[in-house]
Every structure is written in C-alpha cells, then in structure tokens.
Amino acid sequence: KAGVTQTPRYLIKTRGQQVTLSCSPISGHRSVSWYQQTPGQGLQFLFEYFSETQRNKGNFPGRFSGRQFSNSRSEMNVSTLELGDSALYLCASSPFRRVDNEQFFGPGTRLTVL
Amino acid sequence: TQLLEQSPQFLSIQEGENLTVYCNSSSVFSSLQWYRQEPGEGPVLLVTVVTGGEVKKLKRLTFQFGDARKDSSLHITAAQPGDTGLYLCAGAVLPSGNQFYFGTGTSLTVIP
C-alpha cells in the first residue's frame, strides 16, 4: 500500500500571498488531520476531516482552512501569509476516528514565507 | 501553551547506555502515543497505550502509561545509533477522535 503523500514537498512564498497544500491519504483511510510543526511550538493540531466534514479544529486563525474531497484527498489553504507561517505542514491519515487509532504521517510540506 | 511537557529536551548518550524520556501533563488522556521522527520525514508511530498503568514492550523499548493517565515514559535499553531521532508523545482527549496534542519532543543522539 502506498503511504501518505503530500505535495509539494517544498514551497517558498512571500508575505501576503496564499498557498494550497495537498494530501493524499492511504487508500481506504477516511480521516485526514493536519498539523503544523515549528521549532518553537512543536507539532500543533490544525484540523481533522472525516467523510468530507471538518470534525475538529485547533486554535489557529481563520486564515487557515481546509477541505476534504469524496476520495478522501485533502487540501489546506493559508491566506494572507505571514512570516510566522513558515513551518513544516504534516498530514496524517487514519482509517477511523478512535482514540487508539494509528495515524500515518506523510513527509510534510516545508513552507518558507519571505 | 503545551499540554504535554517532555523531558529532557535533548539527550546525547553513548551506544549501550540506557535512557528514559518522560511525558507529563496535568490533563487526563484517553490514550497516549509515542512517535519517532527522523529529519525530513513525518513522525512514525511506535506504540499506543490506552489503559492507566499499562506497560508495553517493543524489543528494547518499554512504554508506560501512568495510573492516572496523565503521564507516560519511554525507556530504551542498550541504546543503538539507529535509535537516534526526535521522540514525541501525543495524547488524545475524548471525544476529539483523531485530535492529538503533541509533546514538546526529545531529541536523542546515540553516539557509536
């Protein structure tokens, strides 16, 4: 089975621009979660999608949004980029929504905002 | 504000030594997971513990979930260079499903 794939792997943007990141979960997985990883804050939960519906949302401003398609692929969008948005954005997929679920992470998209 | 605090933050040891990493919180978790992350990669799940007091062993790694489900520890016996990486604990709070709160991370370097 192919793992979680994220595109692009690297991205450079300037302040004020917007960006869209893509995540393809493992085949058959219906839950996709997004995380932001920075040296200062570590891994922080952005949101989770399951069956095309946002189920949970972390404490991030409204500039961060996402969606999930019927094939479980997910995108996240960040509008009006700020320098502090520079981070590794990780996507994780799971087959279900249980607390003992295994999350499978992709390699991440490294976003640099100049 | 981090819900889960890990200690130590950095650890550099010689091959063959033992070590313990701690993950502490004032919150109760319905489950706790440990991950290892290597540079340029996403975290990889090592273990999930769900019952207070639970102990799980994975070869040279021993994981323990505190009785009150607020803390956990990871013990590595006879560390090897291949154990080098960033170790992360992550807790799930019902009824949030797949919303996990990650710890601050412990960067481990095992010197041959």
Side-chain angles (χ1 to χ4, degrees):
Chain A
K1 242 183 198 182
V4 178
T5 57
Q6 292 187 245
T7 55
R9 290 293 310 273
Y10 302 91
L11 206 48
I12 299 175
K13 292 285 188 179
T14 56
R15 278 181 299 175
Q17 287 187 310
Q18 77 165 25
V19 66
T20 299
L21 312 180
S22 180
C23 171
S24 292
I26 291 172
S27 178
H29 286 194
R30 295 165 63 192
S31 171
V32 173
S33 299
W34 287 90
Y35 293 85
Q36 181 196 65
Q37 186 174 30
T38 59
Q41 297 296 318
L43 261 155
Q44 293 192 293
F45 175 81
L46 280 157
F47 27 66
E48 180 210 358
Y49 286 86
F50 184 85
S51 295
E52 301 177 65
T53 303
Q54 187 180 91
R55 303 293 178 146
N56 286 297
K57 191 177 191 303
N59 190 26
F60 278 81
R63 300 184 296 107
F64 292 82
S65 63
R67 59 178 176 168
Q68 187 180 34
F69 302 95
S70 58
N71 62 358
S72 293
R73 190 178 70 85
S74 178
E75 288 181 347
M76 68 162 281
N77 184 77
V78 188
S79 62
T80 320
L81 284 166
E82 300 177 0
L83 296 179
D85 296 334
S86 294
L88 181 66
Y89 289 88
L90 292 160
C91 153
S93 79
S94 298
F96 311 111
R97 302 188 70 243
R98 292 185 346 218
V99 292
D100 59 345
N101 243 354
E102 178 170 3
Q103 293 189 102
F104 295 84
F105 281 85
T109 293
R110 172 74 62 185
L111 172 65
T112 301
V113 182
L114 302 175
Chain B
T1 305
Q2 290 285 4
L3 212 57
L4 284 161
E5 296 290 338
Q6 284 183 239
S7 62
Q9 189 177 356
F10 298 97
L11 195 52
S12 182
I13 62 172
Q14 294 289 329
E15 182 177 359
E17 292 184 348
N18 302 333
L19 66 116
T20 302
V21 177
Y22 298 93
C23 175
N24 296 297
S25 177
S26 57
S27 300
V28 176
F29 294 98
S30 50
S31 74
L32 199 133
Q33 299 182 330
W34 283 92
Y35 291 82
R36 182 171 68 210
Q37 184 178 22
E38 298 187 23
E41 301 292 333
V44 175
L45 181 69
L46 296 173
V47 77
T48 300
V49 285
V50 295
T51 305
E54 183 176 2
V55 177
K56 278 193 176 179
K57 290 191 176 183
L58 187 68
K59 296 183 180 177
R60 294 176 295 100
L61 279 59
T62 301
F63 305 86
Q64 184 161 9
F65 201 11
D67 291 340
R69 304 208 314 274
K70 292 183 179 181
D71 54 84
S72 180
S73 64
L74 157 61
H75 182 78
I76 301 179
T77 303
Q80 298 176 1
D83 295 327
T84 294
L86 179 67
Y87 288 82
L88 296 157
C89 62
V93 179
L94 280 174
S96 301
N98 285 327
Q99 180 172 359
F100 285 84
Y101 295 90
F102 276 80
T104 47
T106 295
S107 180
L108 171 65
T109 301
V110 181
I111 303 165

